[in-house]
Amino acid sequence: MVAPAFTFSGMSLPEDRDPLGVWELDVPRAAAFAARTPTEDLVWRADLPAARSAAREVLQAGLARIAVREQQLNVAAQRLRYFDPVPAYREGARDPEAALLAATMALRSPAVALGARASEAPALETSPEAQAAYRDSIIQCETLLAQFRQLIQKIARMETRVGNRLVARSIVDWTGDVQTTWLAELTPADMQDHLDTVRLALASRCALLRLLVIVTSGALGLAIKAQVPGGQFLLLPAVYQYVCDVLKALEALPGGVPEGWQ
Amino acid sequence: MAESELKSAIEKFAQDLANRAETFVGDISTLEIRTFTTPSTQIVNLADDGLDFNDPGLAGKLRLRAYTKIDFDCDTTICLPVDSNDQIDRSVWDMHQSMVNQALKTRETMLQAMGQALSSALEALQRIAG
């Protein structure tokens, strides 16, 4: 099995998957963080092949992919802005909008509403299923918020390995202050590789921050449109899934974005 | 019980956002770039660990070779790397200058990202209030 070129640790994400499709989440390491005191850093690591041309190809592919993802996030944001939660979709539709509508309607269902009321008035009789549905939606939301917190709390550390040799390491905080340690016997090519790793990691961090903004503002907008009490939080997991579904659907398009967006 | 946990999660998230925004505003006025070098025998030991640059024990493993500080009003302080003949060490300077350029771009990008995040938050507050 070929080891992934780009790995990311220090933060968990839903389904242990990078929504940007560039980084492999280092899950055992993230799980280990949970068992010990959490680390300060999000670690973005590039493991490049020793062959110069192969290393450049891997980095260029990563940078190109994140550039397309940035445009795709803009498309997802716009689709979310114009999403109308009315049951006007054809039966059996599998597009991201249909799934988001289903999740929104589920949170508006009388069962969940009763579950919500039961939490405030325990004497009110509701079915165990209604209470369980409401509780599940809260747990999902809480988990997602905890994951987003990791992105905001931690600073970024980037490491570049070429042919299993660590060549440089940078720590970049949120305001751009940089501390870099370079291997003393570095070649100009190794230096360029690390600079590109830093660019890719920072672009990915910004894209995840943008994703967070799209999801949180999207959930609020949808909560108002669909009149879901508490929806600005309870809809977070559904809106996150919607954005991921849109990104996945856009992959099938030539160039990865609709015409006119390129 | 689940609701109180969610409320706690929301409060922690909002607090982290507020702390991050406060730190950002306080720290954005100065951009600092430090470039260290280390021999190949030491860099492996540095991997996988958090680096505390205030730790005197690191002095034996790292050499600070170049430093640039840029204030928000563009006042700049630069420490140039020189070799044993007191000549500017071009290879280290090139590494450092590349990182300075990257740091300037990063700060610009983060300003835009934070601006977008804050304007979204303001828009959200207006919608709740309105």
Side-chain angles (χ1 to χ4, degrees), chain B:
Chain B
M1 175 68 101
E3 252 194 14
S4 64
E5 285 166 358
L6 175 61
K7 195 176 167 193
S8 172
I10 293 164
E11 283 169 356
K12 282 181 195 169
F13 179 72
Q15 188 60 50
D16 280 346
L17 261 181
N19 290 343
R20 180 57 63 205
E22 192 180 341
T23 309
F24 185 83
V25 168
D27 200 24
I28 195 69
S29 57
T30 304
L31 184 65
E32 292 182 283
I33 304 98
R34 292 182 174 85
T35 293
F36 298 83
T37 57
T38 186
S40 56
T41 50
Q42 291 295 335
I43 200 164
V44 174
N45 296 332
L46 298 173
D48 300 327
D49 284 333
L51 280 182
D52 179 1
F53 286 95
N54 296 317
D55 180 2
L58 276 180
K61 297 177 188 172
L62 301 178
R63 282 182 63 201
L64 178 61
R65 303 295 300 280
Y67 171 77
T68 297
K69 185 174 90 163
I70 305 173
D71 293 332
F72 216 62
D73 60 1
C74 295
D75 283 351
T76 306
T77 303
I78 303 177
C79 296
L80 295 169
V82 294
D83 58 23
S84 53
N85 297 322
D86 230 17
Q87 301 298 308
I88 292 176
D89 189 328
R90 294 295 320 185
S91 60
V92 175
W93 180 241
D94 287 344
M95 287 186 214
H96 180 75
Q97 199 51 36
S98 299
M99 272 304 170
V100 170
N101 292 336
Q102 181 62 55
L104 286 167
K105 285 180 197 165
T106 302
R107 185 162 75 169
E108 185 186 331
T109 305
M110 285 314 302
L111 277 168
Q112 284 173 3
M114 278 294 184
Q116 275 176 2
L118 286 170
S119 67
S120 284
L122 273 172
E123 188 189 8
L125 284 169
Q126 280 169 350
R127 288 170 95 173
I128 291 172

Side-chain angles (χ1 to χ4, degrees), chain A residues 183-223:
Chain A
L183 186 64
E185 308 89 29
L186 205 65
T187 66
D190 290 334
M191 184 177 83
Q192 187 57 48
D193 288 345
H194 182 65
L195 286 172
D196 283 340
T197 300
V198 171
R199 279 175 54 209
L200 179 63
L202 292 176
S204 300
R205 185 172 72 169
C206 272
L208 284 175
L209 182 61
R210 173 116 175 86
L211 176 71
L212 189 160
V213 170
I214 291 170
V215 169
T216 50
S217 58
L220 171 64
L222 185 54

Side-chain angles (χ1 to χ4, degrees), chain A residues 49-60:
Chain A
R52 180 53 45 208
S53 59
R56 294 308 308 156
E57 207 173 295
V58 165
L59 279 164
Q60 291 305 321

